[in-house]
Amino acid sequence: GNQTFHNYLLEARDRTLQAFEHQDYPLEELVEKLDVARDASRNPLFDTMFVLQNTESQEAKLETLSFSPYVQEHSISKFDLTLSMSDEDGEIQGSFEYCTKLFGADAIERLTRDLIAILSQVGINPDLL
Protein backbone atom coordinates (compact mmCIF):
# COMPACT_ATOMS: atom_id res chain seq x y z
CA GLY A 1 0.00 0.00 0.00
CA ASN A 2 2.49 2.66 1.11
CA GLN A 3 5.56 1.19 -0.52
CA THR A 4 7.34 2.94 -3.38
CA PHE A 5 7.80 1.09 -6.65
CA HIS A 6 11.56 1.09 -6.10
CA ASN A 7 11.22 -0.57 -2.67
CA TYR A 8 8.68 -3.05 -4.03
CA LEU A 9 11.13 -3.95 -6.80
CA LEU A 10 13.93 -4.49 -4.28
CA GLU A 11 11.67 -6.73 -2.20
CA ALA A 12 10.65 -8.72 -5.29
CA ARG A 13 14.31 -9.12 -6.26
CA ASP A 14 15.19 -10.44 -2.78
CA ARG A 15 12.30 -12.92 -2.80
CA THR A 16 13.27 -14.11 -6.26
CA LEU A 17 16.88 -14.66 -5.25
CA GLN A 18 15.70 -16.60 -2.18
CA ALA A 19 13.43 -18.71 -4.38
CA PHE A 20 16.41 -19.74 -6.53
CA GLU A 21 17.69 -21.69 -3.53
CA HIS A 22 14.75 -24.07 -4.06
CA GLN A 23 14.66 -24.17 -7.85
CA ASP A 24 15.58 -27.86 -8.00
CA TYR A 25 12.68 -28.95 -5.78
CA PRO A 26 10.50 -31.33 -7.83
CA LEU A 27 7.22 -29.70 -8.90
CA GLU A 28 5.22 -32.91 -8.53
CA GLU A 29 6.43 -33.34 -4.95
CA LEU A 30 5.47 -29.75 -4.13
CA VAL A 31 1.99 -30.17 -5.62
CA GLU A 32 1.56 -33.40 -3.69
CA LYS A 33 2.62 -31.83 -0.37
CA LEU A 34 0.34 -28.83 -0.93
CA ASP A 35 -2.55 -31.20 -1.67
CA VAL A 36 -3.73 -29.02 -4.54
CA ALA A 37 -6.83 -30.12 -6.42
CA ARG A 38 -5.70 -31.37 -9.82
CA ASP A 39 -7.27 -30.52 -13.16
CA ALA A 40 -5.52 -32.01 -16.18
CA SER A 41 -6.36 -28.95 -18.28
CA ARG A 42 -4.70 -26.47 -15.89
CA ASN A 43 -1.34 -25.92 -14.24
CA PRO A 44 -1.75 -26.87 -10.56
CA LEU A 45 0.04 -23.82 -9.09
CA PHE A 46 -0.12 -20.84 -11.43
CA ASP A 47 -1.79 -19.62 -14.61
CA THR A 48 0.40 -16.65 -15.51
CA MET A 49 4.11 -16.44 -16.17
CA PHE A 50 6.77 -13.77 -16.61
CA VAL A 51 9.91 -14.70 -18.53
CA LEU A 52 12.98 -12.49 -18.65
CA GLN A 53 15.43 -13.79 -21.21
CA ASN A 54 18.69 -12.06 -20.39
CA THR A 55 21.06 -14.24 -22.33
CA GLU A 56 22.28 -13.45 -25.79
CA SER A 57 20.57 -15.25 -28.63
CA GLN A 58 23.11 -15.27 -31.38
CA GLU A 59 24.82 -17.69 -33.67
CA ALA A 60 27.48 -19.96 -32.21
CA LYS A 61 30.13 -21.77 -34.18
CA LEU A 62 32.25 -24.77 -33.39
CA GLU A 63 34.80 -26.29 -35.72
CA THR A 64 32.44 -27.70 -38.34
CA LEU A 65 29.08 -26.84 -36.77
CA SER A 66 27.14 -23.64 -36.52
CA PHE A 67 24.08 -22.96 -34.38
CA SER A 68 21.55 -20.19 -34.78
CA PRO A 69 18.42 -19.31 -32.79
CA TYR A 70 15.22 -21.02 -33.84
CA VAL A 71 12.02 -19.06 -33.38
CA GLN A 72 9.29 -21.49 -32.45
CA GLU A 73 5.72 -20.49 -33.13
CA HIS A 74 3.21 -21.73 -30.57
CA SER A 75 -0.34 -22.44 -31.58
CA ILE A 76 -1.46 -23.29 -28.04
CA SER A 77 -0.69 -21.20 -24.98
CA LYS A 78 0.71 -23.23 -22.09
CA PHE A 79 -0.63 -20.72 -19.54
CA ASP A 80 -3.51 -18.26 -19.41
CA LEU A 81 -1.06 -15.39 -19.88
CA THR A 82 2.71 -15.25 -20.40
CA LEU A 83 4.75 -12.08 -20.72
CA SER A 84 8.19 -12.71 -22.21
CA MET A 85 10.78 -9.95 -22.28
CA SER A 86 14.32 -9.91 -23.61
CA ASP A 87 17.20 -7.53 -24.14
CA GLU A 88 17.71 -7.18 -27.89
CA ASP A 89 20.53 -4.86 -28.94
CA GLY A 90 20.12 -2.64 -25.87
CA GLU A 91 16.33 -2.45 -26.13
CA ILE A 92 13.80 -4.36 -24.07
CA GLN A 93 11.47 -6.35 -26.33
CA GLY A 94 8.31 -7.97 -25.03
CA SER A 95 5.56 -10.25 -26.20
CA PHE A 96 2.41 -11.75 -24.75
CA GLU A 97 1.25 -15.29 -25.29
CA TYR A 98 -2.31 -15.84 -24.12
CA CYS A 99 -5.28 -18.14 -24.11
CA THR A 100 -7.69 -16.82 -26.74
CA LYS A 101 -10.62 -18.40 -24.90
CA LEU A 102 -9.92 -16.04 -21.99
CA PHE A 103 -8.51 -12.90 -23.66
CA GLY A 104 -9.26 -11.08 -26.87
CA ALA A 105 -6.66 -9.17 -28.86
CA ASP A 106 -8.22 -5.89 -27.68
CA ALA A 107 -7.70 -6.84 -24.01
CA ILE A 108 -4.05 -7.70 -24.65
CA GLU A 109 -3.55 -4.42 -26.54
CA ARG A 110 -5.01 -2.51 -23.55
CA LEU A 111 -2.81 -4.48 -21.17
CA THR A 112 0.23 -3.66 -23.32
CA ARG A 113 -0.59 0.07 -23.38
CA ASP A 114 -1.16 0.08 -19.60
CA LEU A 115 2.11 -1.76 -18.94
CA ILE A 116 4.04 0.66 -21.15
CA ALA A 117 2.43 3.62 -19.35
CA ILE A 118 3.31 2.20 -15.92
CA LEU A 119 6.90 1.40 -16.92
CA SER A 120 7.30 4.86 -18.43
CA GLN A 121 6.12 6.52 -15.21
CA VAL A 122 8.29 4.44 -12.86
CA GLY A 123 11.22 4.96 -15.19
CA ILE A 124 10.83 8.69 -14.66
CA ASN A 125 10.09 8.43 -10.92
CA PRO A 126 10.88 5.06 -9.26
CA ASP A 127 9.74 6.44 -5.89
CA LEU A 128 6.07 6.57 -6.94
CA LEU A 129 3.67 5.03 -4.44
Side-chain angles (χ1 to χ4, degrees):
N2 296 353
Q3 192 168 337
T4 67
F5 180 80
H6 181 252
N7 287 340
Y8 176 77
L9 203 56
L10 291 174
E11 183 179 311
R13 180 200 62 189
D14 291 344
R15 285 186 182 186
T16 301
L17 291 174
Q18 289 172 0
F20 283 139
E21 295 175 16
H22 307 287
Q23 67 183 336
D24 293 328
Y25 195 88
L27 178 64
E28 285 303 317
E29 191 174 326
L30 178 62
V31 171
E32 184 179 311
K33 285 189 178 200
L34 292 173
D35 196 26
V36 177
R38 299 299 300 256
D39 177 349
S41 67
R42 316 259 329 146
N43 185 296
L45 298 179
F46 55 90
D47 296 316
T48 59
M49 179 175 286
F50 174 71
V51 177
L52 175 60
Q53 191 66 32
N54 59 355
T55 58
E56 292 183 32
S57 114
Q58 60 185 18
E59 288 191 21
K61 294 187 180 197
L62 299 174
E63 293 176 20
T64 59
L65 295 173
S66 66
F67 300 90
S68 60
Y70 174 76
V71 177
Q72 182 178 354
E73 295 294 326
H74 301 287
S75 59
I76 298 174
S77 178
K78 293 181 183 176
F79 303 100
D80 292 351
L81 182 66
T82 300
L83 171 57
S84 299
M85 300 189 89
S86 61
D87 183 352
E88 301 287 332
D89 299 324
E91 291 185 355
I92 302 295
Q93 301 289 321
S95 66
F96 281 104
E97 180 178 289
Y98 58 95
C99 176
T100 56
K101 290 181 181 178
L102 299 174
F103 300 100
D106 56 333
I108 299 301
E109 288 172 11
R110 276 193 316 275
L111 180 60
T112 301
R113 283 192 306 270
D114 292 346
L115 179 60
I116 289 170
I118 290 168
L119 293 174
S120 295
Q121 289 300 309
V122 298
I124 293 167
N125 183 5
D127 291 321
L128 283 173
L129 293 177

